[in-house]
Amino acid sequence: MLEAADTVAAALVPHTVKARHEYRGMRTAEHYFEVPLDHFGGDGETITVFAREYVSADHSEEAAAKLPWLLYLQGGPGGRGNRFPSLGGWSKAAARDFRILMLDQRGTGLSTPIDRNTLPLRGNDADQLTYLTHFRADSIVADAEAIRHALGSGPWSIYGQSYGGFCALSYLSFAPEGLREVLITGGLAPLTGPADRVYRATFGRVAARNAEYFRWYPEDRAAVSRIARHLRTTEEHLPDGEQLTVERFQMVGSFLGGNTRVDTLHHLLEDAFVPTPDGERLSDAFLEQVRGIVSRAGNPLYALMHESIYGQDEATDWAALRVLQDFPEFRPDAAEPLLTGEMVYPWYFEQDAALRPLRNVAQLLAEKPDWKPLYDPGKLAANTVPVAAAVYSEDIYVDRDLSLETASAVRGLQVWETADFHHDGIADDGEGIFGRLLGMVRSVRG
C-alpha cells in the first residue's frame, strides 16, 4: 500500500480551479482534481475530488499565496466538507496562519457522488461492492497526497474531526512524509480489534448520556416513552410519506452527542403532540424536524460505509445490531426505550427510501471478510510527526478509553483530555480548541 500511494503522489493529477469568490471577509477558490479511482493498482479509471480553499481577506493575495496549507478532514464517513458563510470558530483561528483546504471526501458533495441514483451505474450488486471498497480512509489519504502534490505543497498540516481523525491516523500510517503536523478532535480510532468492541463501549456511553439528559429534563423521559407507545399503535408518516417507527424515532438521540445540540432535543420533544378529531397525533412541526434527523438522503454513504471504517481483516457483520442484544434497554420494544447514537442497523435499508435501493450492497459490505488494514501499528509506534488530539471524556461517538489506548500506541502523540466538551466541541469553542492543539504541536516542533 505504501508503494502504491507513493507512486500516485509522484505523478501530478489534473487540477483545475473553476471559480473564485470574495465575500464576508474571506476569499474562496473551487478546486477540482481528477484522481485514480483505485490508487493501489487500478485500471486507470478516475473520479473527481472537490475541495474549496478558504483564505482570510486580511491577507493580501500575494501574502495568502505564501501561507502554508491546512487540510481539513471532515467527520462522517459520507459527510461533505463544511460550507462556511464566513470564517468563525476554528476556521477563523486557522485562517490567521493557513490557507484552509476543505475537502469533499470522495463520494460526497461536489466530488463524484454516491447515492441510490448513481451507484447502479456501476453495474450489479457485486460491481457496486467493488466500487465502494475504494471509498475508505486509505483511498482518502491517497487522494490527499495526490492533491498536495498537485498544489505544489510541501508537507502540510492536517486537522481531522471525528472520522477525519481516523483518516489522519491512516495518513500517519501510510504517508507521514506528507505531514508537517496533525491536529485531531474526537477522532482517535481503535487501531485493532473487531467493530463489536467499539459498539459495546459506545452503547454504554450512550446509556449514561441518556440518564444524564433525563436528569436534566425528567419530563422528557415520559415524553420519549409516550411517543414510542403511540408509534406502536398509531401509524404516523413523515412529510416524505415514509412511516415513522419507534426505531427511527430513537435516532433523535444523535442530539445527545453534543454540547451545542443536546438542549435542542428538549425543544423537539416539547411540542410533539397536537389534538385532532381523531385524538392526539404527532404534530407536523415535530414530524418535519424528525424527518431531517432520520433521513439519510443527504448522506447515504454514511449508512453504507459506517461499519466498514472499523473493518480490518474480518467482516463487521452488522456489529451494532449484534451488540444491541446485550443492551435490551435500547430495543424499540423496551418499556422505556433509550435514544440511540450513531449506530447503523440493517433496518435502515428497509425503512429509509433513500437507502432502500442500496439494501443488497449494504449486506455485501457487512459480509465482506477481507477488509485491508487501515493503520500500520509499527509506523505509528515510530511516528515522528507532531500530533495533538483532544479526547472528550464522555464522547458517545468515539469512546474515551479506546481513544487513550490508541494515543498510547502513537509515538509522541499529545493528548488533551477534557470533560468540558462533547463530540461537537469545535462547534462550541472551536477557536479555543484549535488554538490549544496548535500550540501543543508547535511546542514540540519548535
Side-chain angles (χ1 to χ4, degrees):
M1 181 180 297
L2 284 173
E3 291 77 15
D6 290 342
T7 300
V8 170
L12 293 184
V13 299
H15 166 221
T16 58
V17 179
K18 293 189 177 180
R20 297 181 185 272
H21 302 283
E22 183 169 350
Y23 56 97
R24 296 181 62 82
M26 64 184 181
R27 292 189 297 274
T28 68
E30 298 174 2
H31 297 265
Y32 292 82
F33 305 88
E34 294 301 313
V35 302
L37 168 65
D38 182 355
H39 285 280
F40 314 114
D43 59 4
E45 180 179 359
T46 63
I47 60 172
T48 298
V49 171
F50 171 81
R52 182 175 276 111
E53 173 187 350
Y54 292 94
V55 176
S56 172
D58 289 343
H59 302 291
S60 69
E61 292 190 14
E62 294 76 13
K66 298 176 182 178
L67 291 174
W69 287 100
L70 173 74
L71 175 69
Y72 181 75
L73 295 169
Q74 167 76 344
R80 69 179 189 173
N82 296 338
R83 268 59 174 165
F84 294 138
S86 62
L87 296 172
W90 76 263
S91 64
K92 180 180 179 181
R96 297 187 188 111
D97 301 304
F98 296 99
R99 285 185 283 177
I100 300 169
L101 194 66
M102 180 65 63
L103 186 67
D104 279 359
Q105 295 169 15
R106 50 171 52 203
T108 75
L110 293 178
S111 299
T112 300
I114 291 178
D115 63 19
R116 63 187 171 122
N117 300 306
T118 65
L119 197 55
L121 293 171
R122 302 304 306 186
N124 61 27
D125 295 336
D127 295 328
Q128 293 175 33
L129 171 67
T130 299
Y131 185 65
L132 289 168
T133 61
H134 303 305
F135 286 78
R136 297 205 306 159
D138 51 352
S139 294
I140 293 169
V141 167
D143 288 343
E145 273 296 274
I147 289 169
R148 181 176 68 85
H149 281 266
L151 292 172
S153 174
W156 59 6
S157 305
I158 65 171
Y159 176 22
Q161 156 66 13
S162 189
Y163 175 64
F166 292 29
C167 295
L169 290 169
S170 293
Y171 214 142
L172 286 164
S173 294
F174 302 127
E177 67 280 0
L179 299 175
R180 182 183 187 221
E181 59 202 0
V182 176
L183 313 181
I184 296 173
T185 48
L188 290 180
L191 302 179
T192 59
D196 301 48
R197 71 180 190 134
V198 172
Y199 295 109
R200 196 165 299 283
T202 53
F203 267 120
R205 293 209 183 270
V206 177
R209 185 64 163 165
N210 270 263
E212 182 178 41
Y213 175 79
F214 291 135
R215 285 196 299 272
W216 295 338
Y217 295 106
E219 65 272 32
D220 287 359
R221 173 64 277 177
V224 168
S225 298
R226 181 186 176 197
I227 294 169
R229 288 194 303 270
H230 174 79
L231 292 173
R232 293 186 191 114
T233 60
T234 305
E235 194 166 300
E236 295 276 10
H237 292 269
L238 299 168
D240 59 8
E242 293 293 309
Q243 184 176 354
L244 178 61
T245 60
V246 176
E247 51 266 40
R248 292 192 87 183
F249 164 63
Q250 288 176 277
M251 292 170 66
V252 304
S254 61
F255 282 135
L256 296 174
N259 289 74
T260 62
R261 300 190 304 156
V262 66
D263 298 303
T264 305
L265 177 58
H266 175 67
H267 302 146
L268 170 69
L269 296 172
E270 66 186 359
D271 60 354
F273 286 96
V274 293
T276 77
D278 299 320
E280 288 197 312
R281 300 294 297 265
L282 295 179
S283 70
D284 286 347
F286 173 81
L287 291 168
E288 171 60 20
Q289 292 175 81
V290 170
R291 181 201 61 78
I293 300 167
V294 306
S295 172
R296 290 295 176 194
N299 58 345
L301 200 57
Y302 175 92
L304 273 173
M305 302 301 292
H306 187 265
E307 287 202 354
S308 79
I309 68 177
Y310 302 109
Q312 300 187 92
D313 299 318
E314 60 187 341
T316 55
D317 193 26
W318 299 114
L321 179 66
R322 290 185 288 101
V323 174
L324 173 66
Q325 310 314 311
D326 295 331
F327 293 86
E329 63 271 31
F330 286 97
R331 290 178 53 89
D333 56 359
E336 292 191 320
L338 297 184
L339 301 174
T340 55
E342 64 174 1
M343 301 79 169
V344 172
Y345 307 101
W347 57 259
Y348 274 35
F349 297 88
E350 300 167 2
Q351 298 188 21
D352 189 334
L355 299 179
R356 206 170 289 133
L358 307 175
R359 183 182 342 178
N360 292 341
V361 72
Q363 182 62 37
L364 293 177
L365 285 164
E367 295 172 353
K368 182 175 169 59
D370 55 350
W371 290 111
K372 295 179 180 178
L374 292 169
Y375 313 106
D376 184 333
K379 184 66 70 69
L380 293 173
N383 172 61
T384 59
V385 178
V387 186
V391 173
Y392 305 127
S393 302
E394 305 302 328
D395 195 330
I396 69 170
Y397 295 140
V398 180
D399 180 71
R400 175 256 187 198
D401 294 341
L402 295 180
S403 295
L404 294 181
E405 174 188 292
T406 293
S408 68
V410 181
R411 180 175 178 267
L413 188 152
Q414 300 179 78
V415 171
W416 170 46
E417 183 179 355
T418 175
D420 293 338
F421 303 101
H422 279 261
H423 195 67
D424 67 346
I426 60 171
D428 204 18
D429 184 17
E431 189 168 3
I433 292 171
F434 181 88
R436 179 165 187 151
L437 295 179
L438 185 63
M440 290 168 68
V441 294
R442 293 288 167 88
S443 70
V444 172
R445 196 166 50 79

